[in-house]
Amino acid sequence: MTARKKQPQPAEGMRNEADLLAAGFELQHQGLELLLAEMRALAVLMPGEDSRLPTDAEVEAGFDNMPI
């Protein structure tokens, strides 16, 4: 006697595809988290901005001297 093959139901196929998509999104998320951690680590190692340069607020205050 031969065993019957179970016919896959449409819902099962969609569930399998959804599981694959979810796994793909999770892997992308993990990769982006790793990239963010590497960027933060590199940012700590990079020299900071030159504090002798005027800030944006200081530059903007220089233009606020128009007479009324």
Side-chain angles (χ1 to χ4, degrees), residues 15-60:
R15 189 174 307 118
N16 290 340
E17 288 178 19
D19 290 343
L20 284 175
L21 281 173
F25 287 139
E26 180 61 29
L27 288 173
Q28 286 180 349
H29 180 73
Q30 289 175 359
L32 289 173
E33 282 183 336
L34 177 61
L35 179 60
L36 180 61
E38 289 174 348
M39 289 173 59
R40 286 181 176 160
L42 285 173
V44 170
L45 297 175
M46 294 175 65
E49 292 183 6
D50 188 3
S51 61
R52 292 175 284 151
L53 297 175
T55 63
D56 288 340
E58 291 170 341
V59 171
E60 192 65 32

